[in-house]
Amino acid sequence: MKFEQLFSRNRVLFEYELTKHELIKKMCVAFFEDGIVSNLEQFELDIYKREEEYSTYVGHGIAIPHAISKQVKEAGICFLKLEHNLSYGEREEDVRLVFMLAIPENSSENHLRILSSLAKNLMKEDFRKLLEYSNDIDDFYRAIKTIQ
């Protein structure tokens, strides 16, 4: 499976301004509407449970909220770019790029490898800049196709 196949055009979002709760809700709804998640409320609770364990802020203005959940039918990723920084964590962690991962409970090693690749690429400044300068879905997909 190619990395870009984990996305859909319905799960690439560009927003002006949201709170952390609005952001999580919007991304969970995108998964539900795409048929990736079977139970919206429970998946959202699974995301918050993970957030309570530790912040999913990874630095460089990026957060990767995620859940391994029995509510997930197949692995998927939702991307959301904010126009303005959002205070995401307790330590004043400003976020503009968010990747939410939905991972099935019995996910294959291949899915985990692909998701790990995302994290590695997000540490590369060139890749982050491509995402930061993305203004629409086509820009986003051009950036994602550069992932190795």
Side-chain angles (χ1 to χ4, degrees):
M1 174 184 290
K2 291 187 177 192
F3 191 81
E4 62 263 19
Q5 292 174 317
L6 292 170
F7 294 90
S8 83
R9 294 182 80 78
N10 299 329
R11 294 192 315 269
V12 177
L13 310 169
F14 295 86
E15 291 292 331
Y16 184 73
E17 192 170 329
L18 297 171
T19 66
K20 182 177 179 180
H21 293 292
E22 290 169 335
L23 175 144
I24 287 174
K25 180 69 164 187
K26 186 171 205 64
M27 295 178 92
C28 289
V29 166
F31 279 120
F32 180 73
E33 289 177 349
D34 250 5
I36 298 293
V37 169
S38 59
N39 182 312
L40 173 61
E41 291 78 19
Q42 186 58 52
F43 179 67
E44 191 173 347
L45 287 174
D46 292 342
I47 290 289
Y48 278 111
K49 181 179 178 185
R50 183 59 140 172
E51 286 291 318
E52 288 173 9
E53 293 173 8
Y54 60 89
S55 174
T56 55
Y57 175 78
V58 296
H60 304 289
I62 302 165
I64 308 177
H66 57 283
I68 297 173
S69 172
K70 59 182 160 184
Q71 307 308 318
V72 178
K73 298 176 189 177
E74 63 184 82
I77 304 174
C78 181
F79 170 77
L80 190 141
K81 178 185 173 192
L82 293 160
E83 184 68 28
H84 298 288
N85 288 344
L86 163 69
S87 180
Y88 192 81
E90 295 174 10
R91 293 172 283 178
E92 299 182 29
E93 300 150 334
D94 287 340
V95 169
R96 286 199 56 211
L97 305 174
V98 182
F99 287 86
M100 182 180 282
L101 311 180
I103 306 165
E105 266 190 334
N106 301 320
S107 61
S108 72
E109 197 173 299
N110 186 43
H111 284 136
L112 297 176
R113 198 172 321 118
I114 291 169
L115 298 174
S116 171
S117 177
L118 171 64
K120 286 182 205 169
N121 278 277
L122 287 171
M123 296 303 116
K124 298 177 184 174
E125 185 177 1
D126 291 344
F127 180 63
R128 289 193 313 270
K129 284 188 184 225
L130 286 174
L131 293 171
E132 289 168 8
Y133 294 125
S134 295
N135 292 315
D136 60 33
I137 292 172
D138 293 329
D139 287 346
F140 171 79
Y141 272 105
R142 277 191 287 280
I144 287 301
K145 287 182 180 185
T146 68
I147 288 183
Q148 314 250 327

